[in-house]
Amino acid sequence: MIITSMNLYEFSEKTNREMGILIDKAGDKKLYEEGYAECMSIIRAAQLKFSPKSPAKLQPPVVEQTVTDKPPAKPQKQVFVEQAVTEPQKGGFCIRCGIEIPSNPDEPYCKNCFVIWAKYENSVYAEKYCHHCKKNRKTSMAKPLCFSCYKAK
């Protein structure tokens, strides 16, 4: 098992300071099992934020199962329901196209622009608009607010 802070793409390797740890199941079985249990907990707690039409890579990864005393649970079919928002929450703008979306700096893209961004997942890719004020400013997924809006919050 490898636990690392590094995103597995070239940009992280070349521009970020990262670290990781390799846990050998044979060397430390207890630590490996605790790490595996935590990974499974994170996957179970994850929520799909977009419709099933979104790219398949946005869904949780398939993780190897370990042998336990209990037989594995029968896989259940997951049903995803696309919910329509009847009245959009005001106050936010897509940092790529500028359309009005709910104000949430953790999700600064409209659905269409997010699908495009997710192909590359470059959190520092320069975008056009501030998520809060919609002014034409250099923003990114990592920093969706312009300096003035960030400072005001």
Side-chain angles (χ1 to χ4, degrees):
M1 172 186 301
I2 297 173
I3 301 174
T4 178
S5 63
M6 185 169 125
N7 296 313
L8 298 177
Y9 56 93
E10 189 177 13
F11 182 83
S12 284
E13 178 186 3
K14 291 184 176 181
T15 61
N16 298 339
R17 188 170 177 190
E18 306 286 354
M19 69 175 284
I21 183 171
L22 172 65
I23 302 169
D24 185 5
K25 186 176 181 180
D28 194 338
K29 186 176 180 180
K30 183 179 180 209
L31 181 61
Y32 178 90
E33 288 174 355
E34 288 172 355
Y36 177 83
E38 182 64 18
C39 289
M40 294 306 295
S41 172
I42 292 168
I43 291 169
R44 283 191 299 274
Q47 295 179 357
L48 183 64
K49 294 185 180 190
F50 295 95
S51 76
K53 296 175 187 174
S54 295
K57 71 178 188 172
L58 296 178
Q59 296 179 9
V62 177
V63 178
E64 169 192 357
Q65 292 189 356
T66 58
V67 178
T68 63
D69 294 9
K70 298 178 186 177
K74 190 174 185 179
Q76 295 180 359
K77 183 178 180 182
Q78 292 183 342
V79 178
F80 298 105
V81 178
E82 187 171 352
Q83 296 180 358
V85 178
T86 54
E87 210 173 293
Q89 179 184 357
K90 298 192 185 292
F93 301 93
C94 175
I95 63 174
R96 181 165 288 185
C97 69
I99 68 166
E100 191 170 337
I101 59 173
S103 179
N104 181 351
D106 293 330
E107 297 176 11
Y109 291 100
C110 67
K111 184 178 177 179
N112 292 332
C113 290
F114 177 81
V115 170
I116 295 165
W117 176 85
K119 289 179 184 177
Y120 305 98
E121 295 185 16
N122 183 349
S123 64
V124 295
Y125 182 80
E127 299 293 356
K128 299 176 187 175
Y129 302 101
C130 172
H131 179 62
H132 182 72
C133 70
K134 195 184 174 180
K135 289 182 181 171
N136 190 343
R137 300 286 189 260
K138 186 176 176 183
T139 58
S140 66
M141 176 67 137
K143 294 182 181 179
L145 304 179
C146 66
F147 183 74
S148 298
C149 291
Y150 174 77
K151 192 174 175 184
K153 287 205 174 234

